[in-house]
Amino acid sequence: MEHTILNLVVLTILLSNIRLLNTSRLPVMILSVAIQGFVIGVLPLVLHWERINLSLWIIALIMIAIKGVILPRLLHRSMQEAGVIREVEPFVGPTVSLLIGLFLLALSYWITFPLRASLPEELFFVPVLALFTVFNGLFLIVSRKKAITQVIGYLTMENGVYAFGASLAVDHPFLVELGVLLDVWVGVFIMGIAIYHINREFDHIDTDKLSTLKH
Amino acid sequence: MSLILALLLSPLFLGMIVKIKAFFAGRKGQPLLQFYYDLVKLLQKGVVYSSSTTVVFRLSPWIALAAAVTALCILPLPGYSSWISFPGDFFVLFALLAVLRFSLVCAALDTGSSFEGMGASREVLFSFLAEPALLLSFLVLSFGLEGYSLHEILSNPFSIGGGKLVALYFISVSLFIVLLAENSRIPFDDPNTHLELTMIHEVMVLDHSGPDLAGILYTSALKLWILGSLWVGISSPWRGGSFYLDVLVFLGSMIFLAVIIGIIESILARVRLIRVSHALSLATVLAGVALLWIIG
Amino acid sequence: MGIPLLIGSWGVLGIGSVLLCFIRNRKVTHIVGTVTVVVSSLAILGAALWVLIGGKAEELYLSWSVPFGSFYLRIDLLSALFLLLLGIVGGVSALYSYGYFYPESTHRSLSAYWFFYFCLFGGISLVFTAWNGVLFLLAWEGMSLASFFLVLHENNKEEVRKAGWVYIIATHGGTAFLLILFALLGSDLEVWDFHAFQYPAAMGTVLFIVAFIGFGTKAGFVPLHVWLPEAHPAAPSPVSALMSGVMIKTGIYGLVRVVSWAEGKIPLSWGIICVSVGALTGVVGILHALGKKDMKEILAYSSIENIGIIGMGLGIGLYGMSRSLGIGALLGFTAALFHVINHGLLKSSLFLGAGTVLHTVHTRNIEELGGLWKKLPSTGALFGLSSLGIAGLPPLNGFVGEFLLVVAVLTICLQGNTFLDISLAILVLLSLGLIGAGSVACFTRLFGISFLGELRNRKGEYSAERAHGVEGGTFRIPLYILGGLNLLLGIGSIGLAPFVFGGVVSTLPGISYDTSLGTIKILRQTLFPLAIVGSIFLLLTFFLFMLRTWILKRRPIETSPTWDCGYILPSPRMQYSASSFSRPILRLFHRLLPFSESFRWEGNLFPETATYASTLCDLFVRTVYEPLFKGLARFATRIYGLQEGRNQVYILYIALTLIILMVLFLGGNP
Amino acid sequence: MIWSVVIIPFLFGLVSLLLRNHRTLLFLLLLGGIAHFALTVWFWLYQGQWSEGAYPGTSIVFLDSLGILILTVTSFLFLMVAFYTKGYLRNHTERSSITIGCLFFFLATMSLVCVSADMGLLWVAIEGTTLASAPLIYFHKDHRSLEATWKYLLICSVGIALALMGNIFLSYAGGTYIDSLHIPDLLKNAHRFDVRWLKVAFLLLLVGYGTKMGLAPLHSWLPDAHSEAPSMVSALLSGSLLNCAFLGILRGFSILREAGLEEWGGNILILFGLSSLLMAALFLIRQTDFKRMLAYSSVEHMGILSLGAGVGGMAGTGALLHLVNHSLAKGFLFLIAGNILTIYQTKKIESVTGLIQEAPRTAFLWMAGFLAITGSPPFGLFFSEWIILKGMIESEQWVPLVIYLVALFIVFLSMARYVIPMTFPASSVPGSPSVTGGPVSPAGSGGLSVSFGGKEPLWMWAPALVLASVTLILGLFIPESILSFLTVAFSGWGGV
């Protein structure tokens, strides 16, 4: 049962990442990141089914709420306010993005490989995918132009970090809590304030225009 | 002794050169003592000063003369100690000649004449080329003869002996070139010409007159004597033994030098100015070759 | 008594600074500044003479809480010798400053000038007496910074600011090498007191190169000399005098100190480096001096040339030490130190003379000058005298050092007798020949073109009133003092010899008694006759000139224009120019010396105007520094693409850095 | 008790958010600064406790010698900035409650960084500094400052996320030996950690906190944020915030050292140090904006810190000394830059000229700051740079040594090129060698009369003068006790 769920979770993470990579439509991206957030919120429960306790439940619920619901909604609103629904001409096109994603997956596999020895067989793919998600988020930030897409990339990366923490450092729930805090901050500050201001000041949120400060 | 000889005989030396040139030209030439007459005549005249000049102009002939005479104090009769002899005295001798040059160049610039400026420029150019040759030559001599001072160097240069003697010939040639150049003799300069553009030494003194000119002429005679006797000192192998014999030998050698200079001036034409630097570089190179010979 | 006097002199400077802060009256400030430095320099002179005559070093130790530091002062004979120079030049330049800045003092407060002058003066004296690495470096930088601000005194000019920039980066770069030097020397020490320094045996040559670059930058060895011809013309003349006369000698002082820590174990390479760089410096310096037209620039290059001579002296000394040719070595060092003193006095008097000229005519370009003697006879006379000296001619003091150097070379040559000995001797004598003849050419040019003949250009014109003013006391007295000293030390060099020799011997450890005795003998044998020759020359000149005057007493003396080959309308512009005067010599080196020439010819067969200008650029600036800096700037500009403003790229850097680090530092497979 | 250094500024911050009166707020800022500094001084009176390796405090906060060092620097700088702000914001009344509140929050989070005894809390605190300072950077509320803020937020957040991964790896490396990220525990058990994961953890921490610290090539936010922020904020960012990030790295490094990986980690730090030095040096060659110039100089100095820490030993001590000196010097330079900005109303180097006539005190301090920051004696940075140099010689790091010196030289050369024309007047009076030109009126110098009233107000140069004097004193007098304290701070307590 748990294994099936776990496999499902892993698969969802993978698929959402791939979707994030090859779409240029913002609503789709927000949806993907929401699904990913939801799944990753569930992840600790699945991973530690046998020793589940109250605090874990609470954390998981908060995470699901934030990552799966609140942040995507905030993003959606900013998107509508800014009036953008497409990532036009990203630096890296969808196909190439996918290829790079494949490479990143291989990289995460390579880096996480030594973990295999110390993890149960069925759990191994969790850190691999977590790391992949981190890289994927970074890649999204790097390869997309709109501020809002960058935030999505950042959220993806956060998801990865959280998943990573959930899979590895379950003995130290403090870390997991930190992840929550971080997400709240990012959600509130970056999105709520910064995008709002950028929108007001520049009339669009294309970060290409945010490059007057150089050298 | 050397000092007295030089003071007395240096104009005669010039006269001899002129006489020999006249002989080769098939003329009678001016009397041997003509330069003495000239000096006396000039000393009896008044002077004309340019309105541009300052006290530098008036002082300079006498500084030059004083430098030449002081240099003579250092200059020994070959084989004998000079009045003042000390380690490295040849350097002081050359420095005094440089003082001489300094004062004449300053006097030339003081007139503001473009000709004299040009002459001054050429004068410093040639000395710039001649100085390394001179110093190098004396380094060779000093090293080969293991002597610090002119007295030691000139006392018996041919004691170098053996294969190293060749070095002495090189030095001799090198010094001879320097001698001709520094004293403005043909083929580097023609002391008798009056076409200013070609002159070096004479053009610098265009504006001097009367006793000042006498001082300058006398100074240049002394300078020729100084370099000539240095050349004689290292080129003549004969040291008589007794003092008077030595003086006679020295004077004989000087006459010999005058003959050589006279012959050269008669048979060679003046070279182009640009070639002068080549010749002087050759002098330096010769001194360098001599050095290799001495070490090897 | 030496140390108390030294500290007393600093006390005077301190009181002076405090007074400067509180006095509002500009004229009083000016007087206070002058008096302070003069009093302080008298105290320094007292300290120096006390130690020199007493022959015994004095020291003072106080602890000081900085890493490796202690407040350790020591005046040994070497320090005292340099302090002597400082005392004279510093005081005289201050005195000169009074007159030089007097007109300025009415409308501009000079307290900053005097404050930095105090710092420079005190800094140099501390450099000469510090006996601890940290203290030394602090003094060193204090001195450099003070002189930097003094160079920037006339800071409203573009060229001055550029000079300040060049100067400060040069001096800073040099200090970096000193840092390395002291760090290497004091590698095992808690406190970097000088006497504890020891050479790490393995790296003798490297160490010397480091020291040579560090100290050589200040001294102005080629190719580290580029700041000198920038800074000296930019600084006010009294400051140039102090800088060129004394401050660049701190580099020499440092080098001699470095030698003293080697405890006699000197590798052959040191001497060879020192001699070759010295020879190069001398020749390059004099050639540039010959080609330049700016009066103070010429003097600056001449300083470089003289540093070359000093370097050759040091080099011969070092070489002699390593070859165990004691007498030659001591003679080499003595020659170098003699030249340090003599050049200091001569060059400062020349700079002060140049200051008077500048003050009168407001131009440093000698092509525009001429006939200054008629307006400034006493300045002219003293300038001419110093020119004679700096050209290395007897009977002035500039000759003594060169002469001793020749004697040293001969001694090395005669006693040593190997191929290397001879090669070095050739090098030294050849370059001395070029330098000697070159400096005669250079200084007849400088003196002759600017002071003699006729005024060349209206720009060089001056008002008689102004000329009268600058021939006043504070302008003349300093020059008289220096001129008198120059003549005195030229003839009486034998009197200075014990001090100089004492300075050398006290610095070099392990000199045997016989060696010093032998050296003293040679010094006596050479310097005494030199004095006689000098006196004969002076007396003869006097006598002959009197004779001439006597002869001419009853003769007609007429005045007429200069004979100009029958040309009817001679004009001052027809005079030989400074450039044409030196061009034949420079043409010999035309491949080396970068002339930038501009030639304009308007009209066709009968041109209305034609202009020609040629400027000599510095060889090393043109071939080394300019390409280097331009290349650096070009490279930097290319690099700027990295910071191109987009967030995406920046985050890519982070990711790439992370990945590269992981690949590099986790050893392939983690 | 230790919590008080965090809570007090936090409370001040809350209070100032509620206040509306500008003058009261400025007074409150001063009061808060004094209170915080007094508290720090009070901690110093218990010096014995941390120098002997005892850790007063709970499992979450403590004060060790490293912490108190950086806390003191931060607190002192904040005090000076508070004084300066009183002059700087005198006429800038708009939204001052948010500005001053954020300044207090900034101080609180930075203090928290210094006292964190837990890697997790440390991380939270560092993230907190980002959030507290972002509104400060957005002070001017224009395009440029918004762009700078956006970059600052995004880049630092990415960095901080990586640092979180680092923490996760750290706990993973610790495995069952540790039950929290309490630093003393980590140190105690470090030798039993899984080396591979520890290495990964350190790399992530280094990249994460290094982004915040401004190590090249992760420094890209730094010039933008420093140049766009108001000067007193730039001073705090450069003088305190960067130190806090460095503290994070040092904590990681000390764990690495206990695990016997000192050399491995040191090499990475050296690499970062050199790249920062070179990058900063190259970027300094052609700058047109004097605040960006100072920002790149901060990158350079962070490189020096990293280099010193990486070389270790004596250089490590030097690095900490350098940290103190750099904070003081850069702090006052930024304050002075603020003055120049106020006078000339431009950040362009070429538009600023003749400072010495416009504002002699500012000019004097600007020149002194230039000399101080480039490591000229008699300022403290000279000694710290020298000690680092000595450390490099002792550990025979010849290649870094050469790069270090070359970079420092280029920095000096470039900065001198800007500072000299800025300080001295540009007009030239032809023909007269000794007459200074009259005062120049640069474009936009109208700001002078508006905000300075024709002369420099005491509030705006006195704090800088105090900072400069402390730097100067540290260059003339460094008691042995300070050095040994720094040595202990750098390496002494790791073995507990």
Side-chain angles (χ1 to χ4, degrees), chain B residues 42-56 58-59 62-70 73-74 83-92 94-96 98-99 101-103 105-107 109-122 124-125 127-129 131-133 135-136 138-139 142-148 196 206-207 211-212 274 277 284 288 291-292 295, chain C residues 286-287 290 373-374 384 387-388 391-395 399 402-403 406-407 409-411 413-415 417-419 422 425-426 429-430 432-441 443-445 447-449 451-454 456 522 525-526 529-530 532-534 536-537 540-541 544-545 548 551-552 555-565 572 574-576 580-585 587-589:
Chain B
L42 284 170
L43 280 173
Q44 285 167 348
K45 289 198 168 191
V47 282
V48 183
Y49 287 124
S50 156
S51 52
S52 303
T53 56
T54 62
V55 69
V56 175
R58 292 152 180 70
L59 198 54
W62 310 103
I63 295 180
L65 184 55
V69 174
T70 318
C73 296
I74 298 172
W83 186 31
I84 307 168
S85 172
F86 52 97
D89 51 2
F90 60 86
F91 189 70
V92 179
F94 298 146
L96 284 166
V99 172
R101 195 182 311 129
F102 191 99
S103 69
V105 167
C106 281
L109 289 173
D110 200 15
T111 60
S113 151
S114 46
F115 289 124
E116 298 190 26
M118 183 191 69
S121 166
R122 290 178 182 169
V124 294
L125 168 69
S127 67
F128 185 79
L129 292 162
E131 192 104 345
L135 280 179
L136 209 53
F138 274 85
L139 175 71
S142 167
F143 180 67
L145 299 165
E146 298 185 355
Y148 283 102
E196 294 85 352
L206 272 178
D207 259 84
D212 287 348
I274 199 88
S277 53
T284 314
L291 193 72
L292 284 181
I295 300 169
Chain C
I286 197 62
L287 286 179
L290 263 173
W373 180 294
K374 286 172 210 121
S387 296
L388 193 67
L393 298 180
F399 178 67
E402 291 184 31
F403 175 52
V406 170
V407 176
V409 167
L410 288 182
T411 314
C413 221
L414 288 182
Q415 294 186 345
N417 208 345
T418 67
F419 183 71
I422 310 286
I426 299 176
L429 282 190
L430 261 184
L432 264 187
L434 288 176
I435 291 169
S439 51
V440 169
F443 281 93
T444 47
R445 172 175 176 260
F447 172 65
I449 299 287
F451 280 90
L452 305 178
E454 295 283 352
R456 284 177 169 69
I522 291 191
Q525 274 177 353
T526 52
L530 195 62
I532 295 178
V533 168
I536 291 178
F537 171 69
L540 262 180
T541 308
L544 287 172
F545 193 65
R548 166 217 175 249
I551 290 175
L552 285 181
R555 306 270 167 76
I557 298 179
E558 295 168 38
T559 308
S560 74
T562 302
W563 186 75
D564 232 334
C565 207
M574 288 175 65
Q575 289 175 96
Y576 225 54
S580 13
F581 183 81
S582 57
R583 204 52 189 274
I585 295 184
R587 198 174 284 279
L588 298 173
F589 299 88

Side-chain angles (χ1 to χ4, degrees), chain C residues 2-15 39-40 43-44:
Chain C
I3 291 274
L5 274 172
L6 181 67
I7 291 180
S9 82
W10 295 337
V12 172
L13 292 180
I15 295 168
V39 172
S40 169
I44 293 258

